Every structure is written in structure tokens, then in C-alpha cells.
Amino acid sequence: MEGFFNSGPCTAQMNAIHRISSALFAQADVDTMLLETLEVSMQTADAEAGSILLYDRSTKQLIFRHALGPEGAKLVGRPVNLEGTGKSATVFKTGKSDISVEGFDQPTDIEDPTRSTLTTAIKNFGGEPIGVVQVLNKRNGLFDNRDKELLEIVAAMAATVIDNAQRAEERKQAALARILMYVGHQLKNKTFIIDGADKMHSPTIEAALVSLGKGDLSKAGELAEAFGEYRSWVNDANRRAMKLAQAINAYADRKDFFEFTPHDLKAALEDELAPLVELAPRFGGVVDLSGLAPVPEFRFDALFVSQAVYNLVDNATKAMPRERPPWMVEVSTEAHPDGQYPEGSRVDIVVRDDGPGIPPDKLEQILRGEAEPDPNKMGSTGIGTRLVHDVALTHGGEFLGESVVGHGTTFRVRLPLNR
């Protein structure tokens, strides 16, 4: 029995499978994987040349995706007419592998003669052909059933690569659409900052301008101060909007929206929430950050964690009844460095308010990341709390909350210290 597993055809097959799987899953992108698949196919079958052709639904043709061998460069990108009787077209249409030593469709500009071919269909999980892999001219002898079995294994692995790549692309497109919604929502929040600055400083600026128009210079100092503060607010909102734009550009480059790097959580939250701290008194309340305690430095996406917390605080301030000042929104951090997540090795970001509270069914919807627009709240979209949910889960954490109608709400963004 030992000799059977360590020699002969079984060993050749196992070695080939090992080489194919190692080559496939060592690579990151589908194009490199397909090229590696073809190279291993040729080595395993001892072939002089080979090609991978994929079906193009728009043109309804097979297209040479990769071709290796003396004349391979001439074939890449060429279409194959599926109405023809060539080996690639026939195998694609029938789904059955083919070993041939005659009847080849060879382009007129290909000088190297084809002596034998082995062609196998690449099928998706539903059994539908999506392409073919073909090797040509075995160096020693002719292709046999063992070569066919190995090539069918390669084709199955290639199908997995292609299917996963297509699913990943679909997921990425969905993620990008969600990201664009988030960024649009956050940009709207930046305009809210500018609007707040306008309401805060416009009366002073306009009154000073009227006085200056009458030749009264007594309010020139007030004008300079108010305009300076207004410009500072606008510049700050612009800076924050630029950070969002840079995040989109970085996402396009690195193919991964969130960037997990070590940061100071307290500093990131203080910076992001500063405008709301300053605006709160204008609306009869306080945003209190005194509970933001230092926590151990850990890897997280500083931009979007701070954006998520901004949304929770912003939503809380907008929900406060203006006829009942003063109101309070408190933001704090709790570190539990010992133990294992979720009991330990975590940081909780807590946003607590003394507002009107949230009904249980609505709160449950929010925590699931399925919040809908609130018809009683102007500008409500539900996107902000969906961002909180997605950020928490993407970090391997949780979005938690509790509320009592008439007595306030507490939300927690729980993040693991070690992802």
C-alpha cells in the first residue's frame, strides 16, 4: 500500500494537483491565476503550447485570454467563432473533453504545426461552460486519459477562480455603491457645519457691514473676528471633505475601503467631533467629550470610525427637543484590555443622550443596520446609522444600544483591540 501512494500514476496526479492548487492560491488577481493555471497545465501535460479561452457574452465568442508557446503572442485577444468546427468551439458547445491528433483549425499565420491537442471545458458551478483550456503537442508521445483527468482538475480550479473573481467584483460594486452613499451623507454633514457657522456669525457680520456702510468703524473689530471664525469653520469643513475625497481615491488604489492602521482613538474622535461641540450651545445643549479617556493604541480605520461616531452624536443633537434646553450628549470611551473579545480585549465608544428615546422596534432596526428614513425628521435617510453598523462589523466588532422612551438612548460601538 505504501508503494502505491508513493510511486506511479497516483503520485503524478497528486503532485500535479498540489502544484496546481499551490500556484492558484498563491496569487491574488484572476489574470495572474489564469496565467499560472495555464503554465502548470502545460508542465503537467508536458505540452509545448497552451491557451485559455473565455466566453465573451457581449460578442458571443470565445476569446484567447492567455496563450503560451512559440506562437502564443499572436493569439491573445483573438476571437473564435462558435459556429465553426474547431476543437475549442466543439468542446465549449458540448462540454466534453477532447483528445485529438487530426482535424485542427490552425490560423494561417501560425507557423508551428499542431500535432495533437487536449481540450477541456471550463464550467461554472451550474455546469455551464464559460471557457476552455487547451494544451498542444505533447513532447513525448500523445496525450492520454491521465492527462485529460489532470486537465479537468485544472479546469475545475480555473472555474473556481473565475467564479470567485466575478463574485468579488459584484461585491465590490455593491460596496462601492454603499460607500458613495456614505460619503454623500458625510459631505451633507459638512454642509451642516458650514450652515451652522453661517447662522452663528452672519448676524454679526451683516450688522458690522451696515455700520461700516454708514461710516461707523466701531464694529470693525467685531467684523474681523466674526469673519475670521466663519472662514475657519469653512476651511475646517473643506479639510474634512477633502479627507473623504482622498479616502475614495485610496479605495480605488488599494481595492479595500477600510485601512486598518494604529491610531490614537481619543485624538481622532476629538478632532472629528469638535464642530459639534462648538455648535451645540447654539441649539440649547452640550456635547461633552470629557469622558474620552486614553485607550491602548490599536489598529482601526480612524476616518470611518470617527465618521460613525459623528453620525451618532449628530443624530442625537438633532433629535433633542429645542423647547427643553439644556440637553446633553456625552461621548466616552471604555477600555477592557485584558481577556479575550468580547468580554475583554476591546474598546467601547459610548454615545449617551438624555433625549426622547427610541421605541424598541425602531432601535432593533437601527442596530441591525436596517434603519429607514424618519418621516418626522427633516433630512433623515437612515444612512448614518447603517454606516455605524457596517463600520463596527467590518472591524470585527458590534453595534449595541439601549433606550427608554422619554429618558434617552445609549449607543455603543464595540471594537476589538486585536482584529
Side-chain angles (χ1 to χ4, degrees):
M1 185 65 70
E2 181 180 353
F4 177 79
F5 282 108
N6 290 317
S7 63
C10 183
T11 301
Q13 285 196 355
M14 294 302 294
N15 286 342
I17 293 169
H18 175 72
R19 289 169 61 192
I20 292 165
S21 58
S22 297
L24 278 175
F25 298 106
Q27 302 298 331
D29 64 278
V30 66
D31 206 54
T32 304
M33 285 181 179
L34 290 177
L35 181 58
E36 194 77 11
T37 300
L38 179 56
E39 290 176 347
V40 174
S41 303
M42 290 170 54
Q43 293 168 9
T44 303
D46 194 27
E48 294 179 355
S51 57
I52 285 183
L53 300 86
L54 297 183
Y55 181 62
D56 186 330
R57 293 184 181 277
S58 62
T59 63
K60 296 183 178 180
Q61 295 176 314
L62 284 172
I63 305 294
F64 280 91
R65 183 71 173 266
H66 290 293
L68 298 175
E71 304 287 335
K74 296 180 180 179
L75 296 173
V76 176
R78 284 192 182 186
V80 170
N81 183 5
L82 289 178
E83 299 301 321
T85 58
K87 300 304 177 185
S88 296
T90 301
V91 168
F92 178 79
K93 289 184 288 186
T94 64
K96 296 180 179 180
S97 300
D98 176 86
I99 298 174
S100 295
V101 293
E102 59 182 14
F104 310 117
D105 282 353
Q106 184 160 307
T108 56
D109 60 341
I110 300 298
E111 299 176 1
D112 195 46
T114 299
R115 303 187 303 275
S116 60
T117 63
L118 168 55
T119 312
T120 296
I122 302 172
K123 302 176 184 179
N124 63 18
F125 289 121
E128 176 189 7
I130 57 175
V132 297
V133 56
Q134 184 177 72
V135 291
L136 289 76
N137 301 339
K138 191 175 180 74
R139 287 186 172 87
N140 297 296
L142 299 174
F143 296 115
D144 56 25
N145 284 333
R146 189 176 64 176
D147 295 321
K148 179 169 75 70
E149 290 173 3
L150 287 172
L151 198 63
E152 287 173 349
I153 292 172
V154 173
M157 289 186 167
T160 302
V161 169
I162 296 167
D163 186 72
N164 286 344
Q166 290 173 340
R167 291 173 185 268
E169 186 61 28
E170 291 170 1
R171 288 194 298 270
K172 184 180 176 185
Q173 292 300 323
L176 181 58
R178 200 161 58 246
I179 286 161
L180 291 175
M181 283 197 307
Y182 293 155
V183 171
H185 183 267
Q186 297 309 99
L187 288 174
K188 184 192 75 171
N189 284 338
K190 306 318 167 200
T191 64
F192 173 74
I193 294 175
I194 296 175
D195 183 61
D198 181 64
K199 290 177 180 176
M200 184 182 299
H201 297 295
S202 284
T204 301
I205 293 173
E206 290 170 3
L209 288 174
V210 170
S211 296
L212 286 175
K214 295 178 180 178
D216 181 1
L217 302 180
S218 62
K219 296 192 179 291
E222 292 181 18
L223 174 62
E225 182 180 356
F227 182 73
E229 290 185 9
Y230 179 79
R231 184 170 62 180
S232 174
W233 279 71
V234 172
N235 288 342
D236 183 67
N238 182 61
R239 175 180 67 85
R240 297 173 190 277
M242 286 298 295
K243 283 174 64 177
L244 289 167
Q246 290 166 359
I248 286 292
N249 291 336
Y251 170 78
D253 289 338
R254 67 176 181 261
K255 314 302 183 190
D256 182 14
F257 191 56
F258 293 98
E259 186 174 33
F260 301 97
T261 52
H263 289 287
D264 181 339
L265 179 62
K266 180 175 182 288
L269 294 180
E270 286 176 337
D271 177 66
E272 191 65 35
L273 298 176
L276 295 180
V277 172
E278 293 192 48
L279 279 174
R282 303 289 296 183
F283 297 96
V286 174
V287 173
D288 180 9
L289 305 186
S290 62
L292 286 178
V295 302
E297 190 175 80
F298 66 107
R299 300 174 71 86
F300 65 97
D301 187 295
L303 175 64
F304 277 89
V305 166
S306 58
Q307 294 288 316
V309 177
Y310 182 102
N311 274 290
L312 291 177
V313 177
D314 186 45
N315 287 346
T317 62
K318 290 175 180 175
M320 295 296 178
R322 298 297 183 252
E323 67 276 5
R324 187 202 57 102
W327 46 261
M328 173 78 74
V329 178
E330 300 172 278
V331 186
S332 60
T333 48
E334 300 173 0
H336 303 271
D338 298 327
Q340 293 185 329
Y341 185 86
E343 288 77 17
S345 188
R346 76 172 200 261
V347 169
D348 286 4
I349 306 167
V350 184
V351 177
R352 181 180 292 109
D353 68 63
D354 60 355
I358 303 171
D361 56 339
K362 178 69 173 178
L363 177 65
E364 184 180 344
Q365 192 180 45
I366 289 172
L367 296 177
R368 290 199 310 265
E370 300 172 0
E372 299 293 336
D374 185 344
N376 300 316
K377 186 176 171 184
M378 187 173 64
S380 171
T381 63
I383 292 173
T385 50
R386 292 204 295 274
L387 170 63
V388 181
H389 173 271
D390 286 0
V391 166
L393 263 66
T394 302
H395 282 71
E398 300 172 89
F399 181 28
L400 308 168
E402 55 188 37
S403 185
V404 178
V405 174
H407 294 278
T409 302
T410 300
F411 283 115
R412 289 177 181 269
V413 179
R414 177 163 293 170
L415 304 177
L417 287 173
N418 297 294
R419 296 185 64 246

